Amino acid sequence: MQQWLHAVELRTEWRQHALSTAPADRATAEAAITGLYGLLKRPPPEFVWVDSPGAVASVLPPTTYTLASGGPWPLESRLATQLSALRERLDDRLGQPYGLHWGPGPPRDPLVALRSGRKLSSFVDDGVRGALCRTVRESVADLMRAQLADRYGLYWYGQQEADWVAHYEVRQRVLGVRFGAEDTAALALWAAIARSCGWWWPRENHCVIAERPLAIHAEPLAGNEYGEARLHNADGPAVLFPDGWAVYAWHGTWVPSWVVEAPTVELIEQERNIEIRRCAIEHLGWPAFVDEAGLVLLAQAPDPGNPDAELRLYDLPYRSWGARTRLLLAVNGSVERDGTRRQYGLRVPPWFDDPIDAAGWSYGLTGAQYRRLLRRT
């Protein structure tokens, strides 16, 4: 049990590094990256610091290298190969297939599971690395990447490499696994980078490193014991860097700035992406959207598959959303990861006049079949 509590402490520590908004520790970052260059028999690069990942375009030309072009592999490719080999050796030491770390899934209450006899090794990977991955890599890093044009070759996430670094550190410090001396030293270099800076782009003679953000706004996900969170800020950028480069997110979904700053019916009408439209409408509020868009309510009925919820069918005249359709407004039958039940709109063919028939169509059922549902999800 004490081992699990120690693992939680390490997970918390690495989560703080991954979401840190303190200024980068430039000396530590440069020393660790110099160490990685040394492992490739290369001299220290010239370091170029930028205030955000978005600023890389001002100092790094788009990559033009392809394997078909011949010649030696670029340094960043050799570094990626070196890292892959390191992690493969570490996984071999753990007795795990390379890149595979997920067990049967973490228990809802780890302490109860341990008291019942379940081994910590059966869920520590998902309980530490998995939780960090869901928060840091899948939310923060992926949404930042969505904002950044991937035209500048290989790069690394710096502080947001915390998930895999923590995985091996927990194995060392909690479960007592011993790696070889050279591999331990190499892992320490990657850990130092994750503790000290933002994203970085290594090149043959120079290395571009981004500062850490000024602010990161995330909301916890309810109903879990592992501290997962997702990017969200209803009042401004979810991630903000010193030069103003920003990433906006609505409950974990990347959105353009207008969705958070100034959602309007006009902009929603013009938006082609369904998820972005959904987020914008949720921020504006469904009642406000229906009112301001002038949607005509055609029919409403209790939702037989979702007690205490109502189905509403509206005419949806927007030509820019494709062919003329109708909008079925419903409440999700499943609880979201944050504990809420989301209201959502579903486009249905224009020939539906009955919201129950429209709801059944969305599940591949007739209205009569949908009426007999006990509970939908």
Side-chain angles (χ1 to χ4, degrees):
M1 193 170 303
Q2 288 303 315
Q3 285 183 312
W4 171 247
L5 295 178
H6 189 194
V8 170
E9 289 177 0
L10 292 175
R11 184 186 67 201
T12 301
E13 176 187 328
W14 277 107
R15 184 179 184 275
Q16 290 170 346
H17 288 309
L19 303 181
S20 174
T21 57
D25 181 346
R26 297 192 176 195
T28 296
E30 291 181 7
I33 292 172
T34 295
L36 293 179
Y37 272 66
L39 294 178
L40 294 173
K41 311 301 183 186
R42 298 303 304 160
E46 174 187 354
F47 290 101
V48 180
W49 284 85
V50 293
D51 282 337
S52 73
V56 69
S58 65
V59 296
L60 194 67
T63 184
T64 58
Y65 182 89
T66 63
L67 294 179
S69 67
W73 281 43
L75 178 136
E76 59 268 31
S77 296
R78 284 179 280 140
L79 181 60
T81 300
Q82 180 194 75
L83 174 59
S84 179
L86 169 65
R87 292 170 64 174
E88 187 168 4
R89 290 193 302 272
L90 297 177
D91 286 342
D92 283 344
R93 182 68 186 85
L94 299 180
Q96 295 176 322
Y98 175 55
L100 179 64
H101 304 285
W102 314 129
R108 184 171 181 83
D109 190 327
L111 297 180
V112 170
L114 290 170
R115 292 189 189 101
S116 68
R118 183 168 174 180
K119 292 183 178 180
L120 176 61
S121 59
S122 71
F123 64 85
V124 69
D125 292 348
D126 203 20
V128 175
R129 184 186 181 186
L132 287 171
C133 184
R134 289 186 287 274
T135 295
V136 178
R137 189 171 294 267
E138 295 177 5
S139 181
V140 182
D142 279 3
L143 268 64
M144 287 172 58
R145 186 171 181 171
Q147 183 82 1
L148 186 70
D150 279 339
R151 296 186 293 115
Y152 301 98
L154 290 173
Y155 59 93
W156 280 267
Y157 296 143
Q159 68 190 103
Q160 281 130 34
E161 303 280 341
D163 59 327
W164 70 264
V165 177
H167 167 72
Y168 296 117
E169 185 172 274
V170 166
R171 288 287 181 158
Q172 286 178 303
R173 296 175 59 183
V174 176
L175 299 183
V177 176
R178 293 182 179 273
F179 300 123
E182 291 184 0
D183 289 344
T184 298
L187 178 61
L189 294 175
W190 286 98
I193 295 169
R195 289 187 177 102
S196 60
C197 68
W199 293 17
W200 56 291
W201 290 255
R203 297 298 181 263
E204 192 67 38
N205 300 310
H206 64 283
C207 180
V208 180
I209 313 177
E211 261 291 350
R212 289 189 287 210
L214 289 176
I216 298 179
H217 297 273
E219 61 179 6
L221 296 178
N224 69 79
E225 299 291 333
Y226 298 92
E228 290 101 330
R230 61 185 179 184
L231 287 182
H232 174 71
N233 187 8
D235 302 312
V239 184
L240 178 65
F241 284 85
D243 61 358
W245 192 76
V247 176
Y248 290 79
W250 182 261
H251 298 301
T253 299
W254 177 89
V255 294
S257 60
W258 65 265
V259 171
V260 171
E261 302 284 4
T264 65
V265 168
E266 291 75 17
L267 290 173
I268 292 169
E269 177 186 357
Q270 297 166 16
E271 178 56 53
R272 305 292 295 182
N273 183 285
I274 294 175
E275 278 296 290
I276 292 175
R277 281 205 307 263
R278 174 186 65 78
C279 294
I281 293 172
E282 285 182 2
H283 193 197
L284 187 64
W286 276 103
F289 174 74
V290 169
D291 182 61
E292 293 177 23
L295 301 187
V296 177
L297 178 65
L298 300 175
Q300 62 193 84
D303 187 347
N306 198 357
D308 301 322
E310 187 176 58
L311 298 170
R312 289 172 171 258
L313 186 64
Y314 294 90
D315 194 37
L316 186 63
Y318 296 143
R319 290 187 301 274
S320 60
W321 287 15
R324 188 179 182 90
T325 59
R326 287 180 171 170
L327 176 74
L328 178 68
L329 188 58
V331 176
N332 200 352
S334 301
V335 176
E336 297 293 303
R337 294 183 71 183
D338 63 1
T340 64
R341 291 174 63 199
R342 179 170 59 87
Q343 192 173 34
Y344 66 96
L346 179 69
R347 286 185 296 170
V348 298
W351 54 79
F352 283 114
D353 296 314
D354 185 336
I356 295 180
D357 289 340
W361 171 86
S362 71
Y363 285 89
L365 304 173
T366 65
Q369 290 171 326
Y370 186 81
R371 282 184 173 86
R372 293 196 294 271
L373 286 179
L374 295 178
R375 183 76 182 182
R376 66 172 173 80
T377 59

